[in-house]
């Protein structure tokens, strides 16, 4: 080792220092004149890791690692010597059918004076760290999946709660809370853009008598059928709600009183045409309708409902089965 350069000697001194102080796997391999690497030195940890004894010292790698494994390593060592710079990499080694993981550094020793070429290998096992990382990644994946699942469940629950909060359970149309929420927005927009907006209340005539003479279940059937008639008669932009037992409210944005009257008269006729059967007997229904429209900058939900129900009360006074439009206080338009 007298002819070895100071730099390369320093590398060997570092190797010897770690040899006596480190529990990592360490080896020193020399490139012989035939182009094969010889195991010059190995510490006990490396010996144990390879399942070998000191008998492999000064033997070619091919003799105890096998041709394929040795060629793979020697190619790496030759590249390290050729580039004359250390190689850092993570390796996976199968030992007794079990994958073991290592962080390995290969250090080249090129002595220009003697022409000797060696490599120092220092390998630290990181199997437990690697497996812990894999478990953590798997745990994170499971956690992400769980979060997605819970988010979907929460979204579904919120949707269900919203449905329960705003939908009438019997008919599937909006309920009173739904109307209040949407009507205030529609009224605000109508005022802002000075546009038309009409309220319509429809009451099924004599439903309480039907409930008493037939049954409440049969009465519910009529209510659902009437709700379906209304749903199929309106636009997507219209707001429909069941406001009480047999009363429904239609809010018609961008609709004048005259256009609303056309719709209301058609609903009067289509309701008269509805027919039900109870215990072999035909049952028919009619509806009374009240209309009002925004005509005052101060109109809000309460005033519009008041005017609309005022018109409905007038329709009941007129004998039911009629349409009454609120024009102003004590002034109505009545149509049959």
């Amino acid at each position: 080792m007298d002819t070895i350069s100071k730099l390369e000697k320093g590398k060997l001194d570092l190797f010897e220092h770690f040899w006596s102080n480190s529990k990592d796997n360490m080896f020193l391999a020399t490139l012989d004149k035939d182009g094969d690497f010889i195991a010059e030195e190995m510490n006990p940890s490396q010996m144990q890791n390879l399942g070998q004894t000191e008998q492999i010292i000064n033997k070619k790698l091919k003799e105890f690692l096998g041709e394929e494994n040795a060629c793979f390593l020697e190619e790496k060592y030759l590249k390290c010597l050729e580039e004359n710079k250390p190689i850092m990499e993570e390796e996976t080694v199968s030992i007794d059918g079990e994958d073991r993981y290592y962080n390995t550094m290969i250090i080249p020793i090129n002595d220009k004076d003697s022409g000797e070429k060696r490599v120092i290998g220092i390998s630290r096992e990181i199997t437990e760290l690697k497996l812990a990382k894999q478990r953590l990644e798997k745990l994170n994946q499971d956690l992400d999946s769980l979060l997605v699942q819970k988010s979907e469940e929460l979204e579904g629950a919120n949707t269900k709660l919203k449905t329960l909060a705003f939908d009438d359970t019997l008919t599937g149309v909006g309920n009173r809370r739904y109307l209040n929420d949407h009507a205030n927005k529609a009224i605000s927009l109508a005022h802002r853009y000075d546009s038309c907006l009409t309220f319509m209340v429809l009451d099924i005539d004599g439903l309480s008598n039907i409930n008493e003479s037939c049954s409440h279940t049969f009465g519910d059937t009529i209510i659902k059928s009437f709700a379906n008639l209304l749903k199929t008669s309106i636009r997507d932009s219209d707001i429909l709600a069941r406001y009480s037992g047999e009363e429904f409210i239609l809010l018609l944005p961008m609709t004048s009183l005259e256009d609303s009257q056309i719709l209301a008269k058609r609903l009067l006729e289509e309701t008269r045409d509805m027919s039900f059967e109870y215990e072999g007997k035909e049952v028919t229904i009619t509806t009374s309708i009240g209309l009002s429209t925004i005509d005052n900058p101060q109109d809000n939900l309460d005033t519009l409902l008041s005017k609309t129900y005022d018109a409905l009360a007038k329709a009941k006074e007129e004998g039911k089965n009629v349409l009454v439009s609120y024009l102003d206080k004590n002034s109505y338009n009545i149509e049959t």
Side-chain angles (χ1 to χ4, degrees), residues 255-315:
T255 308
S256 66
L257 184 63
E258 291 76 16
D259 289 337
S260 299
Q261 288 170 339
I262 294 172
L263 172 61
K265 284 188 284 187
R266 179 161 58 83
L267 290 173
L268 277 178
E269 294 172 3
E270 292 181 359
T271 304
R272 293 167 188 151
D273 291 338
M274 295 178 73
S275 178
F276 305 89
E277 183 178 333
Y278 182 78
E279 295 183 351
K281 295 181 180 180
E282 183 184 24
V283 178
T284 59
I285 61 170
T286 60
T287 183
S288 297
I289 303 177
L291 278 178
S292 73
T293 187
I294 282 184
D295 56 13
N296 188 305
Q298 304 304 315
D299 273 338
N300 55 32
L301 179 58
D302 289 336
T303 60
L304 285 168
L305 284 174
S306 177
K307 291 191 292 187
T308 308
Y309 271 94
D310 191 7
L312 177 64
K314 186 64 176 178

Side-chain angles (χ1 to χ4, degrees), residues 168 170-171 173-176 179 200-208 211 219-220 222-224 226-227 230 239-250 286-290 305-306 308-316 320:
D168 176 59
L170 177 63
T171 63
V173 303
N175 57 20
R176 184 183 289 244
L179 176 74
M200 182 188 305
V201 59
L202 306 97
D203 181 84
I204 302 173
D205 296 322
L207 186 66
S208 57
N211 286 336
D220 286 347
I222 292 175
I223 291 173
K224 287 190 285 187
F226 187 69
L230 299 181
I239 298 168
L240 170 62
R242 184 184 178 202
Y243 207 62
S244 65
E246 61 265 30
E247 292 178 356
F248 291 81
I249 287 184
L250 269 175
T286 60
T287 183
S288 297
I289 303 177
L305 284 174
S306 177
T308 308
Y309 271 94
D310 191 7
L312 177 64
K314 186 64 176 178
K316 294 293 186 181
K320 304 177 183 179

Side-chain angles (χ1 to χ4, degrees), residues 218-233:
F218 181 69
D220 286 347
T221 300
I222 292 175
I223 291 173
K224 287 190 285 187
S225 297
F226 187 69
N228 287 332
L229 169 64
L230 299 181
K231 281 192 289 186
T232 57
S233 302

Side-chain angles (χ1 to χ4, degrees), residues 317-329:
E317 289 178 12
E318 293 295 320
K320 304 177 183 179
N321 190 24
V322 295
L323 162 64
V324 174
S325 302
Y326 182 96
L327 302 179
D328 55 46
K329 191 172 183 181

Side-chain angles (χ1 to χ4, degrees), residues 42-269:
M42 287 189 186
N43 71 347
S45 178
Q46 179 69 20
M47 290 278 197
Q48 183 180 1
N49 182 59
L50 293 174
Q52 302 288 345
T53 65
E54 292 182 2
Q55 296 175 358
I56 66 174
I57 299 301
N58 295 323
K59 286 189 176 183
K60 295 181 178 183
L61 301 188
K62 295 175 181 177
E63 294 181 36
F64 59 87
L65 291 179
E67 187 78 21
E68 184 177 350
N69 288 334
C71 286
F72 173 75
L73 293 174
E74 289 179 347
E75 183 179 343
K76 204 173 349 182
Y77 300 163
L78 287 171
K79 180 181 178 182
C80 179
L81 290 168
E82 180 181 346
E83 296 179 354
N84 198 30
K85 60 182 181 181
I87 294 176
M88 292 286 295
E89 63 180 5
E90 183 178 299
E91 294 182 307
T92 304
V93 179
S94 181
I95 301 176
D96 297 328
E98 180 182 355
D99 285 342
R100 309 295 291 178
Y101 303 94
Y102 298 87
N103 272 339
T104 300
M105 178 169 63
I106 307 298
I107 303 171
I109 300 178
N110 285 302
D111 185 59
K112 295 180 180 179
D113 295 333
S114 67
E116 289 185 334
K117 295 180 179 293
R118 295 184 175 95
V119 291
I120 295 173
I122 304 174
S123 183
R124 173 167 296 178
E125 184 170 1
I126 58 169
T127 300
E128 291 305 317
L129 180 63
K130 185 79 173 181
L131 293 178
K133 181 181 178 182
Q134 290 175 353
R135 288 192 294 268
L136 181 59
E137 289 174 350
K138 177 64 167 57
L139 183 62
N140 285 335
Q141 290 174 357
D142 292 343
L143 182 58
D144 287 341
S145 297
L146 183 61
L147 287 174
V148 170
Q149 177 187 342
K150 293 302 179 184
S151 295
E152 290 174 349
E153 290 177 359
L154 181 60
E155 184 177 347
N158 287 336
T159 300
K160 187 174 181 180
L161 285 173
K162 186 175 181 181
T163 298
L164 291 173
F166 290 100
D167 284 7
D168 176 59
T169 56
L170 177 63
T171 63
V173 303
N175 57 20
R176 184 183 289 244
R177 182 178 298 171
Y178 170 85
L179 176 74
N180 292 343
D181 182 71
H182 288 70
N184 285 316
K185 297 174 184 176
I187 293 168
S188 177
L189 288 173
H191 283 309
R192 182 182 303 173
Y193 297 106
D194 194 24
S195 61
C196 304
L197 184 144
T198 304
F199 264 62
M200 182 188 305
V201 59
L202 306 97
D203 181 84
I204 302 173
D205 296 322
L207 186 66
S208 57
N209 294 331
I210 294 174
N211 286 336
E212 292 176 6
S213 59
C214 299
S215 70
H216 283 274
T217 301
F218 181 69
D220 286 347
T221 300
I222 292 175
I223 291 173
K224 287 190 285 187
S225 297
F226 187 69
N228 287 332
L229 169 64
L230 299 181
K231 281 192 289 186
T232 57
S233 302
I234 61 175
R235 305 163 300 182
D236 290 340
S237 58
D238 297 333
I239 298 168
L240 170 62
R242 184 184 178 202
Y243 207 62
S244 65
E246 61 265 30
E247 292 178 356
F248 291 81
I249 287 184
L250 269 175
L251 192 156
L252 307 169
M254 302 294 292
T255 308
S256 66
L257 184 63
E258 291 76 16
D259 289 337
S260 299
Q261 288 170 339
I262 294 172
L263 172 61
K265 284 188 284 187
R266 179 161 58 83
L267 290 173
L268 277 178
E269 294 172 3

Side-chain angles (χ1 to χ4, degrees), residues 16 18 291:
E16 291 175 359
F18 277 108
L291 278 178

